[in-house]
Amino acid sequence: MDIEQTKIPQATAKRLPLYYRFLNNLHTQGKLRVSSKELSDAVKVDSATIRRDFSYFGALGKKGYGYNVEYLLSFFRKTLDQDETTRVALIGVGNLGTAFLNYNFTKNNNTKIEIAFDANEERVGSEVGGVGVEHIDDLEEKLGDISVAILTVPSSAAQGIADRLVKAGISGILNFTPARISVPSNVRVHHIDLAIELQALVYFLKHYPLNEEEAEEEQ
Amino acid sequence: MDIEQTKIPQATAKRLPLYYRFLNNLHTQGKLRVSSKELSDAVKVDSATIRRDFSYFGALGKKGYGYNVEYLLSFFRKTLDQDETTRVALIGVGNLGTAFLNYNFTKNNNTKIEIAFDANEERVGSEVGGVGVEHIDDLEEKLGDISVAILTVPSSAAQGIADRLVKAGISGILNFTPARISVPSNVRVHHIDLAIELQALVYFLKHYPLNEEEAEEEQ
DNA sequence: CCAAGTATGTGAAATCTTTAACGACTAACG
DNA sequence: CGTTAGTCGTTAAAGATTTCACATACTTGG
Ligand SMILES: NC(=O)c1ccc[n+]([C@@H]2O[C@H](COP(=O)([O-])OP(=O)(O)OC[C@H]3O[C@@H](n4cnc5c(N)ncnc54)[C@H](O)[C@@H]3O)[C@@H](O)[C@H]2O)c1
Ligand SMILES: NC(=O)c1ccc[n+]([C@@H]2O[C@H](COP(=O)([O-])OP(=O)(O)OC[C@H]3O[C@@H](n4cnc5c(N)ncnc54)[C@H](O)[C@@H]3O)[C@@H](O)[C@H]2O)c1
């Protein structure tokens, strides 16, 4: 790892993978240059925000010209560590876990689910999406140095599994269960709560009426 | 609908379903009262933020006492329209779509997936999680007055389907495809981009090292 | 009925994020 | 080679959200 330009705002950091993906698309399409305005139309983020985001990394573009797609892409590839693959474990091969295993994020990404765990004897030993399913009892033993886990177990099991993951040395957990798990502060948890996302959308529809003109919305 | 107390901040609105769910849990456990501090521990949101959030709706608690669970719950039930069920359509019965249909959000919620659509003839006519799968060609005809759609089709099909949904009168779309779809401003789209969530977690792990003490994190 | 303890609701400050505006510079063309 | 149109990087303003900190008011136990 190299010197940290530590002060990238979190809001910016969350948009970086999005930029990277669209840059990749543009590159595949053979585009050589792109302006913040074009990018804005594609990713639905205000063009000033895009320029501001990029500027945290220095002067990546040219005034009057825009950004060189190749250059920008290679810059982000380094920044987002797209060259090394982050190995990921998935716990809970149920409805959601199976969907993730079949998808496996490799199409665009630097991440790969390498191993899965489940408590159900019938699943253990099988393969889903090319990933072997191990018994949850062997978690500590088989996790190795994997540092990121996706949690798709029933919510009642979430805290217990999280505790074991932490003990086994995990650094980050992507938690899809509705349980709000507690971990020490040296472990990062991102909650993705799908039921809440749906309810929030419904709430916004009822209470934040939209106008009858153009343009569109945030995530 | 009734008078809008319009100025609830969006950040607050997004937390309301979360509060509601934990209040429900407390109620089930037979708890009669709860403080912002207790709630904070459970949902991992700062207690001052919780008090501030609640205060947008007026004085819901009692000083020196806390909040009455029953009262707060019934208040949020009204606020979040938990009494009427919002009907939802799901488009794209693949890996992710199937998981959602099997889950179907009814356990906690005021939402229900009532109908699904797919282009694959083999799926059409079948039932998944008790929901009938219709052919996508019949979308306009069978959608009825459903106003919310979950989009889990391949990203190449996303914009086309979104256009048809809009024409058919949809108000909100929960978009799980990586495509950033364009819609008129009277339609609300929330993007849930799982690949990006995973990449963002990995980025944070590498660039925002966490300390060796206690407490935990946001989503 | 009082004293001690508790927890709200909120002004004010701090922090974070987005947006507007524009000077400086580039490319491209006649 | 000058002019026009285009676009960045940034300063500054505005807006949104979180957090602090405390006066106030209620509860509880004696
Ligand atoms: N499926 C959805 O659409 C959806 C939507 C929102 C939230 N969720 C949440 O995601 C989580 C998973 O949902 P799902 O629908 O895939 O559930 P599921 O029941 O289909 O899958 C859970 C899996 O975890 C396994 N499991 C149970 N206990 C375990 C343990 N202790 N260790 C390891 N594995 C264990 C089970 O064998 C099962 O395979 C749940 O918490 C659910 O609330 C799911
Ligand atoms: N599965 C995951 O874990 C995952 C993760 C991140 C993002 N996504 C995104 O979610 C979306 C769905 O993923 P998936 O894994 O479920 O894909 P999938 O291929 O399993 O499912 C897509 C379904 O959509 C149907 N379909 C195709 N074209 C259609 C059309 N025009 N109208 C209606 N139905 C149509 C297909 O028949 C199929 O059943 C994709 O855009 C994918 O990029 C999925």
Side-chain angles (χ1 to χ4, degrees):
Chain A
M1 233 55 39
D2 48 38
I3 289 88
E4 294 291 344
Q5 61 279 285
T6 321
K7 280 283 83 355
I8 308 296
Q10 301 218 354
T12 296
K14 287 191 187 165
R15 283 187 290 263
L16 297 182
L18 182 62
Y19 296 145
Y20 180 73
R21 186 162 66 207
F22 276 84
L23 252 11
N24 235 332
N25 292 352
L26 292 178
H27 189 243
T28 305
Q29 289 163 31
K31 279 209 88 180
L32 298 178
R33 67 186 242 188
V34 65
S35 69
S36 60
K37 183 61 176 55
E38 283 176 279
L39 216 40
S40 170
D41 291 342
V43 301
K44 318 288 182 201
V45 171
D46 185 90
S47 68
T49 300
I50 292 178
R51 293 200 299 282
R52 159 84 65 237
D53 282 348
F54 288 2
S55 77
Y56 291 116
F57 298 99
L60 301 178
K62 273 211 199 101
K63 301 186 180 193
Y65 175 86
Y67 301 90
N68 178 296
V69 172
E70 182 92 33
Y71 176 73
L72 203 52
L73 191 60
S74 81
F75 180 85
F76 276 120
R77 181 156 34 233
K78 270 177 287 170
T79 302
L80 289 172
D81 307 295
Q82 292 294 318
D83 291 328
E84 45 182 301
T85 298
T86 299
R87 300 161 65 225
V88 177
L90 181 141
I91 327 289
V93 188
N95 290 308
L96 214 45
T98 301
F100 294 161
L101 288 175
N102 284 324
Y103 190 71
N104 210 348
F105 302 100
T106 30
K107 289 155 199 169
N108 264 314
N109 285 23
N110 56 337
T111 51
K112 183 164 191 311
I113 304 175
E114 297 236 317
I115 190 169
F117 296 91
D118 202 291
N120 186 338
E121 302 284 359
E122 288 174 29
R123 289 186 197 280
V124 174
S126 70
E127 268 203 4
V128 181
V131 178
V133 179
E134 305 289 339
H135 197 284
I136 186 68
D137 288 351
D138 303 332
L139 179 68
E140 289 78 4
E141 181 191 334
K142 303 222 163 126
L143 194 62
D145 60 351
I146 289 180
S147 61
V148 177
I150 297 175
L151 200 55
T152 49
V153 296
S155 60
S156 55
Q159 184 63 57
I161 300 287
D163 291 344
R164 289 177 62 188
L165 286 167
V166 168
K167 273 223 189 84
I170 214 87
S171 312
I173 298 176
L174 200 56
N175 176 25
F176 285 89
T177 78
R180 250 47 190 180
I181 60 184
S182 296
V183 295
S185 77
N186 60 329
V187 175
R188 184 175 282 271
V189 178
H190 283 199
H191 294 275
I192 301 184
D193 200 319
L194 300 175
I196 281 183
E197 298 285 349
L198 184 58
Q199 281 191 285
L201 174 61
V202 168
Y203 182 84
F204 275 99
L205 287 175
K206 298 218 178 176
H207 296 81
Y208 292 70
L210 298 167
N211 359 349
E212 295 287 337
E213 351 268 302
E214 81 246 81
E216 49 284 311
E217 281 304 319
E218 93 307 353
Q219 116 80 270
Chain B
M1 232 60 35
D2 48 38
I3 288 87
E4 295 292 342
Q5 61 278 282
T6 320
K7 280 284 96 282
I8 308 297
Q10 300 218 355
T12 297
K14 286 190 186 165
R15 283 187 291 265
L16 297 182
L18 182 63
Y19 296 145
Y20 180 73
R21 186 162 65 206
F22 276 84
L23 252 11
N24 235 333
N25 292 351
L26 292 178
H27 189 242
T28 306
Q29 288 161 33
K31 280 209 85 180
L32 297 179
R33 66 187 244 189
V34 65
S35 69
S36 60
K37 184 63 179 51
E38 283 177 278
L39 216 40
S40 170
D41 291 341
V43 300
K44 318 290 183 201
V45 169
D46 186 89
S47 67
T49 300
I50 293 178
R51 291 200 299 283
R52 167 82 64 212
D53 282 348
F54 288 4
S55 78
Y56 292 116
F57 298 98
L60 301 176
K62 273 210 200 102
K63 301 188 179 189
Y65 176 87
Y67 301 90
N68 179 297
V69 172
E70 181 92 33
Y71 175 73
L72 204 50
L73 190 61
S74 79
F75 180 84
F76 276 120
R77 177 154 38 231
K78 269 177 286 170
T79 302
L80 290 171
D81 307 295
Q82 292 293 317
D83 291 327
E84 46 183 298
T85 298
T86 299
R87 299 160 68 223
V88 177
L90 181 142
I91 328 288
V93 187
N95 289 308
L96 214 46
T98 302
F100 294 160
L101 288 176
N102 284 323
Y103 190 72
N104 210 346
F105 303 99
T106 29
K107 289 152 196 169
N108 266 315
N109 287 21
N110 57 335
T111 52
K112 184 166 191 306
I113 304 175
E114 296 237 318
I115 189 167
F117 296 90
D118 203 290
N120 186 335
E121 302 284 358
E122 288 174 31
R123 290 187 196 277
V124 174
S126 70
E127 269 204 4
V128 181
V131 178
V133 179
E134 304 289 339
H135 197 284
I136 186 68
D137 288 351
D138 302 334
L139 180 68
E140 289 77 5
E141 182 190 335
K142 302 226 163 120
L143 195 62
D145 60 350
I146 290 179
S147 60
V148 176
I150 297 175
L151 201 55
T152 50
V153 296
S155 61
S156 56
Q159 184 64 58
I161 300 288
D163 292 344
R164 289 177 62 187
L165 286 168
V166 168
K167 274 225 189 86
I170 214 86
S171 313
I173 298 176
L174 201 55
N175 176 25
F176 284 88
T177 79
R180 252 41 191 184
I181 60 184
S182 297
V183 296
S185 76
N186 60 328
V187 175
R188 184 176 281 271
V189 179
H190 284 200
H191 294 275
I192 300 184
D193 200 317
L194 301 174
I196 281 184
E197 298 286 348
L198 184 57
Q199 281 191 286
L201 174 61
V202 169
Y203 181 84
F204 275 100
L205 287 175
K206 298 217 176 173
H207 296 80
Y208 293 70
L210 296 166
N211 358 348
E212 293 289 336
E213 351 265 305
E214 80 247 79
E216 49 285 308
E217 282 303 318
E218 94 307 352
Q219 117 73 272

